[in-house]
Amino acid sequence: MARNGTTKTYLWCDACRRSYAHADAPAGACPVCAGPTRELGRLAAIARGFMANELVASDLRTKHRQLVRLIWTRNGMGERYYKVLAPDLPYNRFEARVTELLMRGAEEGWVRFVLPAAPSDDAAAYRVEFDDDERFVRELEAIFTSAPAKG
Ligand SMILES: [Zn+2]
């Protein structure tokens, strides 16, 4: 396998059309969409990135998603949701799925991400707002069906 010293590989996500370093994709799950990834050689990963021809746009989308994830998981909130729901999946996949849900909610209009006009040290300036808290709870329950009964 170790030919020409090019043993370094990357993990490619078909859904996001981009590659990740192994360190960024624990257990081989895409850090952005939590989907499965395929191992690719370095050159193949670069070639695919060029073919996808969406590097700039998908980078913005990725950063946007990362920001959403940071907002809802900060101050241990991600871990708290995880403990309460006790879903049958690893934390990083849980985080990705809730992030997906929030982004879908924003698309559908029942979730709002509030951002300051300029980058700020005021953490409270970054927040998630729900038009309908119960909708969010229902959606969470629908996704994580192994969630324990509320109580
Ligand atoms: Zn992905």
Side-chain angles (χ1 to χ4, degrees):
M1 297 275 283
R3 271 184 300 210
N4 305 328
T6 55
T7 51
K8 181 154 190 184
T9 62
Y10 291 84
L11 295 170
W12 174 266
C13 174
D14 273 322
C16 300
R17 299 174 72 74
R18 56 165 291 179
S19 56
Y20 301 93
H22 285 264
D24 293 333
C30 173
V32 173
C33 72
T37 58
R38 290 185 285 126
E39 194 163 9
L40 282 185
R42 185 176 48 139
L43 292 177
I46 291 169
R48 269 183 189 272
F50 280 130
M51 282 189 291
N53 199 24
E54 291 173 358
L55 291 179
V56 174
S58 86
D59 202 41
L60 280 174
R61 184 177 166 81
T62 300
K63 297 287 187 223
H64 189 164
R65 225 182 266 235
Q66 284 169 347
L67 182 59
V68 166
R69 190 174 56 182
L70 278 173
I71 290 172
W72 81 264
T73 60
R74 70 195 156 154
N75 299 325
M77 280 308 289
E79 277 90 356
R80 274 163 67 186
Y81 277 121
Y82 186 68
K83 272 188 196 141
V84 169
L85 287 163
D88 189 17
L89 76 178
Y91 179 74
N92 70 312
R93 288 185 67 92
F94 167 77
E95 214 181 70
R97 298 204 46 191
V98 175
T99 301
E100 279 300 316
L101 170 62
L102 289 172
M103 292 185 65
R104 176 162 62 79
E107 244 174 61
E108 292 171 358
W110 51 274
V111 173
R112 266 189 316 279
F113 298 109
V114 179
L115 303 176
S120 168
D121 287 330
D122 177 12
Y126 298 83
R127 59 188 188 276
V128 181
E129 290 180 348
F130 299 107
D131 276 348
D132 180 354
D133 289 15
E134 286 180 12
R135 170 83 185 264
F136 177 58
V137 171
R138 279 201 311 275
E139 297 274 0
L140 275 179
E141 281 173 353
I143 292 177
F144 304 110
T145 48
S146 63
K150 57 189 123 167

